[in-house]
Amino acid sequence: MAFSSHSALQRKCHCENDKMNQGSILYHILNHKRHQHLPTCSCKHESKQKVALGSPYVACKAASEVLLKTVNFIKNLPSFRGLLKPDQLLLLENCWAALFMLGLAQEGVDFEVIEPSKTSILEEILTNQKGKCTDEKTSSEPSAAEVQKVKSFLTKCWSIDISSKEYVYLKGIVLFSPDVSGLHSPQYILYLQQEAQRALTEYTNSAHPRDISRFSQILLALTSLKSINAPVITQLFFRPLIGNVQMNALLVEMLYMS
């Protein structure tokens, strides 16, 4: 009976053993603010594991540059500037994250994620915070599964080797979305989207006449953007920079600043 119990313990997922080890004060002190890479365990809880950027300064700087280029792309489109301001704001609010993702892919921005660093028990005692701030921060981090969707989209784009012109047309397709609720001119916006899609079709056919599946592959990659939520992008790349500032407010300021 004792042997059976010992065997059962041995069969436990190594993640559970890690959790028991991490409960000791000595472990926390020795591992104070040490970054750890994502676990390789294939347990069900792995996809729910919270993650953070491995090199936040580098990644956030690159993301900020991509966001600036994205907003500049939008504001420099005559067809966008010709829209009513309420429609401009709705399209910006609903489409910025997908446009940003296309920008990340176009600029070749890659990143690594790790487990969020935890405050040591010794530091909690000294600061009398008892992990409150750390717990709140960790709970807002995106999950490994959510971040994997971001990385999968980037990988798809890079495998297709999308050109600069194709990215421009893709951004037009994404930006001019007639499905956004509350638009004043949905039919005209649909027309703009169809024009962007027509231009993409013509370009891919002329630039890659032998690759008959290229257009469908690009659109398939674009479809996967629908599974990536704007809050995930905000938390991963911009929350460390903007704090509690609302992302939409920042985007509006960037769009209309001179």
Side-chain angles (χ1 to χ4, degrees):
M1 195 72 176
F3 178 78
S4 176
S5 254
H6 179 66
S7 299
L9 285 174
Q10 285 184 323
R11 289 196 298 268
K12 281 187 178 181
C13 167
H14 66 81
C15 295
E16 293 183 23
N17 293 329
D18 288 345
K19 286 180 181 178
M20 289 191 295
N21 292 335
Q22 292 173 9
S24 70
I25 294 179
L26 179 60
Y27 178 91
H28 280 280
I29 292 176
L30 293 178
N31 290 275
H32 173 48
K33 290 189 176 180
R34 186 182 71 180
H35 287 162
Q36 299 173 322
H37 288 283
L38 291 175
T40 56
C41 173
S42 58
C43 304
K44 291 181 180 179
H45 64 256
E46 182 181 358
S47 63
K48 297 180 181 180
Q49 170 69 50
K50 299 296 184 178
V51 295
L53 292 171
S55 302
Y57 175 79
V58 175
C60 289
K61 183 176 183 293
S64 298
E65 292 172 355
V66 170
L67 184 65
L68 182 60
K69 290 181 179 180
T70 299
V71 175
N72 284 336
F73 169 82
I74 296 172
K75 69 195 300 184
N76 289 326
L77 283 177
S79 50
F80 181 83
R81 294 201 305 266
L83 297 174
L84 296 173
K85 187 173 181 179
D87 282 357
Q88 292 181 357
L89 294 174
L90 283 172
L91 292 178
L92 177 69
E93 179 180 344
N94 286 274
C95 304
W96 77 266
L99 291 170
F100 170 78
M101 284 299 305
L102 288 169
L104 281 185
Q106 184 176 6
E107 298 296 326
V109 177
D110 200 2
F111 61 94
E112 296 298 328
V113 290
I114 57 174
E115 291 184 38
S117 59
K118 297 180 179 180
T119 306
S120 71
I121 290 181
L122 178 60
E123 184 178 10
E124 290 174 8
I125 294 172
L126 294 175
T127 59
N128 199 30
Q129 291 180 355
K130 298 183 179 179
K132 180 180 179 182
C133 295
T134 302
D135 291 341
E136 290 176 355
K137 179 180 182 295
T138 303
S139 65
S140 66
E141 299 286 358
S143 69
E146 291 169 329
V147 173
Q148 186 56 45
K149 292 177 184 178
V150 174
K151 295 183 76 68
S152 294
F153 171 77
L154 295 176
T155 302
K156 286 181 184 177
C157 290
W158 295 333
S159 66
I160 299 171
D161 194 19
I162 300 173
S163 68
S164 296
K165 282 192 175 181
E166 287 169 330
Y167 274 117
V168 169
Y169 300 138
L170 283 172
K171 290 175 184 178
I173 293 172
V174 168
L175 176 61
F176 298 116
S177 174
D179 299 326
V180 172
S181 178
L183 291 172
H184 289 77
S185 308
Q187 290 302 316
Y188 178 61
I189 291 172
L190 173 61
Y191 164 76
L192 293 175
Q193 186 184 64
Q194 290 173 339
E195 284 295 295
Q197 187 164 328
R198 180 186 60 78
L200 176 61
T201 305
E202 292 179 355
Y203 177 81
T204 54
N205 289 340
S206 62
H208 305 274
R210 296 183 180 180
D211 190 354
I212 58 176
S213 65
R214 183 175 182 81
F215 180 74
S216 60
Q217 287 179 343
I218 292 176
L219 288 188
L220 185 62
L222 197 64
T223 302
S224 65
L225 274 177
K226 295 179 180 179
S227 65
I228 302 174
N229 299 321
V232 172
I233 301 299
T234 302
Q235 289 298 135
L236 184 63
F237 293 107
F238 301 110
R239 190 58 65 199
L241 298 176
I242 66 176
N244 294 326
V245 175
Q246 292 298 311
M247 193 67 190
N248 287 339
L250 176 63
L251 290 166
V252 171
E253 182 178 344
M254 292 174 66
L255 182 65
Y256 294 112
M257 70 179 181
S258 56

